[in-house]
Amino acid sequence: MTRRRSKSEARRTTVFREGRIAKLLERGWIKQASEIPADAIPVDPDLVNFGGSWCRPPSFFRALSFLCKDCGVLCTWSAESQRWYYEVVKAPYYSTAVRCRGCRYKERERVREARRRAGHDPEGK
Ligand SMILES: [Zn+2]
C-alpha cells in the first residue's frame, strides 16, 4: 500500500468510490454509505457475477487472510485483487483464493504437464 499519492489520483479514487456507493444505495445493496469500511473497495453491482441465488451479495471487497491450501503459508488477498477477480475475470462468488502465488504457479504447471502426458500433445509419446 502506497502513501504517496498525487492529488488527481486521490480525487479519481474518491470519485470512483462515491460513484459505486451511490449505485449500491440506489440498488438497495446498502442502506447507508457508512456500511462500506474506509479500507474496503465498494462493489460495482453491474460488474460482478454473483448470480441470482446469492441472497445477500457482499457490498464491498476487503483484504482477506487465508492459509494456502498447499503449503499452509498465511496469505493476504487484497481488496484490489478481489475486485479484479470478481469484476474483470467475472469469477463466481463461491470461487475464492486458496493458494499463495508460488503454489498457484506450481499448480498451473502441474495441470499443464498432466494435460501433456494425457496425450494432448502430439509430440508427447
Ligand atoms: Zn503456498
Side-chain angles (χ1 to χ4, degrees), residues 2-122:
T2 170
R3 289 211 164 269
R4 282 189 51 203
R5 263 189 181 164
S6 70
K7 262 190 188 156
S8 67
E9 197 182 329
R11 180 166 157 69
R12 207 182 317 130
T13 307
T14 307
V15 169
F16 168 88
R17 183 180 172 86
E18 283 173 358
R20 286 173 168 236
I21 288 176
K23 213 186 260 187
L24 288 167
L25 285 167
E26 191 187 299
R27 304 289 165 90
W29 284 34
I30 56 172
K31 299 256 182 292
Q32 46 200 350
S34 61
E35 286 177 42
I36 310 294
D39 63 347
I41 300 176
V43 163
D44 185 329
D46 292 329
L47 295 179
V48 291
N49 174 30
F50 290 161
S53 60
W54 190 260
C55 52
R56 245 191 86 95
S59 50
F60 56 82
F61 303 117
R62 198 181 202 181
L64 286 174
S65 295
F66 68 97
L67 295 174
C68 172
K69 173 181 166 174
D70 291 352
C71 69
V73 143
L74 182 66
C75 306
T76 301
W77 195 20
S78 76
E80 177 52 33
S81 306
Q82 292 173 49
R83 190 195 66 76
W84 177 81
Y85 190 58
Y86 293 119
E87 295 187 355
V88 182
V89 181
K90 307 280 185 198
Y93 191 65
Y94 54 78
S95 163
T96 64
V98 291
R99 289 185 178 90
C100 70
R101 193 183 292 261
C103 290
R104 222 156 50 215
Y105 178 76
K106 269 188 247 160
E107 175 65 10
R108 210 179 303 143
E109 287 301 300
R110 192 191 63 75
V111 168
R112 193 174 297 159
E113 179 65 8
R115 276 209 196 106
R116 201 182 60 76
R117 285 197 192 168
H120 291 283
D121 179 356

